[in-house]
Amino acid sequence: MAHALIFDSGVGGLSVAEEIRKLLPELRLSYVADDAFRPYGEKPEAALRARLPRLLTELSLMLDPDIIVIACNTASTTALSEIRAALDVPVIGVVPAIKPAAGLSRTKTIAVLGTPGTVRRKYVDDLIDKFASDCHVILQGSVNLVDEAERKLGGQPVSLEMVKGEIAPIFAGRRGMDVDAVVLACTHFPLLKDELKSCVNQTVFWIDSGEAIAKRVESVLADMVLTKRAKPPVIDTAFLIGPDASDMRKRAFAKFGFEKVVGLMP
Ligand code: DGL
């Protein structure tokens, strides 16, 4: 049985883990949330580039995965090549689903809703140039939605007023009425899809990368010769870097199949 390590700054990667589990139920999953350094979306690029290759190297040595999924758009658009260079296992990065959004949009007006860091990255500009040059693209960054997704999975009520306020600029501008596809360019945001949908009056495709990433994991694993066998116990485990998690938070991980939750010192 192969073993994948899924990494994010917090609970966002669970939206990716869910898709991977659906497609590859036999795959053993470990999850790491870098709670100590969240939110990534507000951190300087240099700080993320310094932290992530080192941290992922340590985690890879500790957990010995066959494949790593950086289930974080901010980390991937900032430091994917540095992380890959530091590791000798295949690394799959989650980046904004701009290509499918441009393909689905009839009005050729799309929005990219990510963290403030992601929507500023050159990586995203390059994706737009490559796959959405025929589209008008509205970039919207939000860190409050990251916090809101964290709160939701910690058992707190979501403020629809807040969600509405965070996405209002997408639909309020001159081209707002035309937006028919929104890229959920942060893995936390699919966890708020119902709330996002309920805050918008027009018909919109909400597009994330989860399913495509699951397919990518499947094809990379299919090409690998796996000699290692998972040693018991093979309980899917979540490792949380930082302060001890609340019981609600632990239950949220359990709902996504991570029955064991372990704290790691930063
Ligand atoms: N889940 C992360 C992403 O996909 C970001 C959350 C954060 O800002 O820490 O970008």
Side-chain angles (χ1 to χ4, degrees), residues 8-13 34 37-43 71-77 94 114-116 118 142-143 146 150 184-189:
D8 182 39
S9 64
V11 296
D34 189 8
F37 209 60
R38 194 183 61 250
Y40 280 8
E42 282 186 327
K43 297 287 184 304
C72 174
N73 292 261
T74 314
S76 300
T77 56
V94 175
T115 66
T118 295
S142 169
V143 94
V146 173
E150 290 288 335
L184 298 176
C186 168
T187 53
H188 280 72
F189 299 169

Side-chain angles (χ1 to χ4, degrees), residues 100-266:
L104 279 170
S105 173
R106 296 204 185 91
T107 59
K108 295 297 161 200
T109 308
I110 68 173
V112 177
L113 179 63
T115 66
T118 295
V119 298
R120 277 199 303 267
R121 293 292 180 263
K122 184 176 176 310
Y123 198 112
V124 169
D125 291 340
D126 292 345
L127 286 177
I128 293 170
D129 287 347
K130 200 162 164 198
F131 299 118
S133 56
D134 59 342
C135 292
H136 178 75
V137 182
I138 297 164
L139 298 171
Q140 179 66 19
S142 169
V143 94
N144 289 333
L145 289 176
V146 173
D147 293 341
E148 206 61 18
E150 290 288 335
R151 272 198 292 274
K152 180 178 177 183
L153 268 72
Q156 315 273 325
V158 175
S159 158
L160 287 182
E161 275 317 297
M162 203 282 292
V163 173
K164 206 179 230 168
E166 291 299 296
I167 59 172
I170 295 177
F171 302 99
R174 201 168 48 85
R175 303 288 298 264
M177 290 288 286
D178 297 332
V179 174
D180 64 353
V182 176
V183 180
L184 298 176
C186 168
T187 53
H188 280 72
F189 299 169
L191 301 170
L192 294 173
K193 209 174 193 173
D194 291 341
E195 290 82 359
L196 288 163
K197 278 184 182 168
S198 76
C199 288
V200 174
N201 293 324
Q202 60 208 65
T203 306
V204 168
F205 294 113
W206 300 91
I207 301 158
D208 64 78
S209 311
E211 212 183 310
I213 293 299
K215 287 188 183 143
R216 181 83 192 118
V217 170
E218 183 182 41
S219 88
V220 172
L221 287 175
D223 287 345
M224 285 167 68
V225 182
L226 293 168
T227 51
K228 286 184 283 188
R229 288 279 172 275
K231 298 177 201 90
V234 283
I235 300 168
D236 287 351
T237 303
F239 300 86
L240 311 184
I241 303 174
D244 206 18
S246 68
D247 286 348
M248 279 306 278
R249 192 170 167 84
K250 285 183 186 159
R251 277 202 287 278
F253 277 95
K255 263 194 220 153
F256 282 83
F258 296 94
E259 284 166 40
K260 202 168 151 198
V261 179
V262 173
L264 286 182
M265 290 307 283

